[in-house]
Amino acid sequence: MRPSRRSGGAAIVASAVLLLTACSAGHSALERGRNEPSGRAHKAGGQAAVADPAAVQADELGAVPVLMYHQLVAEPRSVYDRTPQDFRAELERLAREGYVPVTAREFSSGEIDIPAGTHPVVLTFDDSTVSQFRLGADGRPASDTAVGILLDVARKHPGFRPVATFFVNADPFREPGGRKPLDWLVRHEFEIGNHTLRHTALGTVDDATAQEAIADNQRAITQAVPGLSVVSMALPNGSMSRSRQLVLKGAANGVRYQHQGVYLVGANPAPSPFSTAFDPGAIPRIRSQAATGPEAQFTSTAWLDKLRDGTVRRYTSDGDPKRISFPKDEATSLAPAHRQAARPY
């Protein structure tokens, strides 16, 4: 994080007060929302005090970690597996370091409404496995699943929103049609995204087949949850279609689709959605992994370390979703479409 552009103790005190206000708002919302089905109670950004951007070192042109998960297993067999304990530890780290989860939809649209001084993180899950989500006999998420662990961490860390994006295939979470699990997730403000019906590597098929793979999955999702708008997609195996535009917009078998964000497999933080570097058709993600193993320099542990120590500038919110705050020397990185909302300091 960049050093403050103000001198003296006033900036430090102002920053502390603003962050305390944001956290208190999040705590109150959590207390009110414990008996509510929605995760909205954790979203404190819209009610938090708007900060002096310099006081909180706001930088809304900084990088955002979009983390990619697959299975949670006791004994990982590939670099894409994590243990439940590893997953919990990573969420605990994110909470301690001031991250607030947002969905892929919120990120790609720039609707990042989080408290001043905090940082967005996007939690994404591919392949809709039962280790990610399943309901117990009591109708609640099983405690050893990703959703169960996320909800538990959020209860312990007020303000850490329990939201994520699930990129699903046919019969998600081993439920024929997926109606019950998808309905539960949507009602609790999780996002459902497209991962093709049969996990088709789009770069290996012709354009017509690629569009069918995407459109058929959209049909399956909207049959399970009528009226749901599917605006995010993750490429199976990171394989881009031969015609890049068709992953953003296309049609097949009477179904039209249009995505505002298409996500890759790796292997670095994503640019701010307000940055000239942002490409909605190819948004990078980071594989969740320890600082050891294959390509360890590109894993979540390595990148979170770099974001924490300032090696990589990270997105820091000013608490005002209608403004885009950043240090003046970064002005050339702002995409022209967002100039009216700019608040350089």
Side-chain angles (χ1 to χ4, degrees):
M1 183 177 288
R2 288 173 175 264
S4 173
R5 295 180 177 237
R6 289 185 170 186
S7 60
I12 296 174
V13 171
S15 177
V17 169
L18 285 163
L19 288 174
L20 180 59
T21 300
C23 290
S24 296
H27 181 72
S28 297
L30 178 63
E31 291 299 322
R32 292 193 304 271
R34 275 185 175 146
N35 295 319
E36 299 174 3
S38 171
R40 190 181 301 278
H42 292 255
K43 190 173 183 179
Q47 301 171 359
V50 175
D52 175 348
V56 295
Q57 300 178 335
D59 187 355
E60 296 178 323
L61 294 180
V64 176
V66 181
L67 303 184
M68 179 181 66
Y69 302 94
H70 287 75
Q71 293 197 95
L72 300 186
V73 294
E75 297 181 4
R77 296 184 178 181
S78 92
V79 293
Y80 294 101
D81 295 340
R82 299 231 71 181
T83 68
Q85 294 80 12
D86 288 337
F87 178 65
R88 180 182 292 275
E90 187 155 82
L91 294 184
E92 293 278 0
R93 172 182 181 170
L94 292 169
R96 287 195 309 271
E97 294 182 6
Y99 286 95
V100 178
V102 299
T103 63
R105 177 200 300 265
E106 291 169 330
F107 169 66
S108 62
S109 67
E111 297 175 2
I112 303 175
D113 187 1
I114 61 176
T118 64
H119 322 286
V121 60
V122 187
L123 308 176
T124 68
F125 297 83
D126 290 8
D127 305 343
S128 49
T129 67
V130 292
S131 69
Q132 297 169 9
F133 177 63
R134 69 179 184 278
L135 293 172
D138 59 358
R140 298 179 179 180
S143 61
D144 61 344
T145 63
V147 172
I149 295 169
L150 174 56
L151 292 172
D152 187 52
V153 171
R155 282 190 290 268
K156 296 175 181 177
H157 296 274
F160 191 76
R161 295 177 66 213
V163 298
T165 298
F166 290 87
F167 294 112
V168 305
N169 307 113
D171 299 329
F173 312 106
R174 295 185 188 172
E175 176 79 16
R179 183 179 299 273
K180 185 175 181 180
L182 294 189
D183 179 71
W184 191 99
L185 289 169
V186 170
R187 285 191 294 107
H188 291 78
E189 297 193 0
F190 291 88
E191 181 187 7
I192 306 302
N194 199 319
H195 202 43
T196 76
L197 192 67
R198 304 293 177 191
H199 204 271
T200 302
L202 300 181
T204 67
V205 298
D206 60 40
D207 287 353
T209 303
Q211 289 181 90
E212 288 178 358
I214 299 168
D216 288 351
N217 198 38
Q218 175 160 304
R219 176 186 284 109
I221 294 170
T222 54
Q223 283 178 343
V225 188
L228 182 66
S229 177
V230 181
V231 299
S232 302
M233 178 181 180
L235 302 176
N237 301 333
S239 179
M240 180 64 73
S241 55
R242 297 177 186 180
S243 297
R244 285 193 55 174
Q245 285 304 307
L246 72 78
V247 298
L248 282 168
K249 184 178 181 180
N253 302 326
V255 176
R256 294 186 177 277
Y257 60 85
Q258 186 166 353
H259 301 128
Q260 66 183 27
V262 176
Y263 292 79
L264 307 174
V265 165
N268 52 275
S272 163
F274 310 123
S275 167
T276 55
F278 182 72
D279 178 358
I283 301 172
R285 292 189 289 170
I286 304 168
R287 184 174 70 231
S288 178
Q289 185 181 315
T292 57
E295 300 178 332
Q297 71 271 32
F298 301 121
T299 67
S300 58
T301 302
W303 283 116
L304 290 174
D305 285 348
K306 292 176 182 179
L307 289 163
R308 180 183 59 192
D309 67 20
T311 301
V312 176
R313 294 186 300 105
R314 65 179 170 181
Y315 186 117
T316 301
S317 173
D318 65 0
D320 184 352
K322 296 181 180 180
R323 293 287 183 265
I324 303 169
S325 296
F326 52 88
K328 290 180 180 179
D329 60 7
E330 295 170 19
T332 57
S333 297
L334 179 70
H338 300 293
R339 284 175 181 164
Q340 289 188 339
R343 183 166 61 174
Y345 63 92

